[in-house]
Amino acid sequence: NGAPFIIKNTYLLADNQSSGSTTYKQSADDYANFVTIGTFDLTATMKECYGGLWCESSCAFQLTDAGNNAWRGQAIVVDWEPCER
């Protein structure tokens, strides 16, 4: 409903790889600036990044992978909670 929130954790649903990682960024200002939150280890069974931005009403996500393996991500699951202004 356009209320502020904070992102606590994000999980990447993707196939396991033999090596590599995916950089995870968030933008709380309509794509103007992206902040690197961390990386997802593509060799891990549970691919997760802890922490995130405080967002006024919306958030954009960016995943980048510079590896030479085929990237087979399906979705991200975002754990968030409402907060006060």
Side-chain angles (χ1 to χ4, degrees):
N1 295 335
F5 60 95
I6 190 162
I7 297 176
K8 297 169 33 178
N9 302 328
T10 305
Y11 304 91
L12 174 65
L13 303 179
D15 291 350
N16 289 348
Q17 300 286 337
S18 59
S19 64
S21 62
T22 294
T23 303
Y24 172 53
K25 297 179 181 182
Q26 295 174 357
S27 173
D29 57 5
D30 292 326
Y31 301 91
N33 298 293
F34 278 90
V35 176
T36 300
I37 302 301
T39 58
F40 292 109
D41 179 2
L42 297 179
T43 66
T45 302
M46 177 73 81
K47 298 160 185 60
E48 56 191 329
C49 280
Y50 293 102
L53 299 178
W54 178 89
C55 303
E56 180 69 31
S57 62
S58 65
C59 186
F61 305 98
Q62 182 181 66
L63 300 174
T64 55
D65 185 283
N68 58 0
N69 291 335
W71 193 86
R72 296 185 300 265
Q74 299 296 316
I76 58 173
V77 177
V78 179
D79 181 16
W80 62 276
E81 67 182 28
C83 59
E84 299 295 320
R85 289 180 193 217

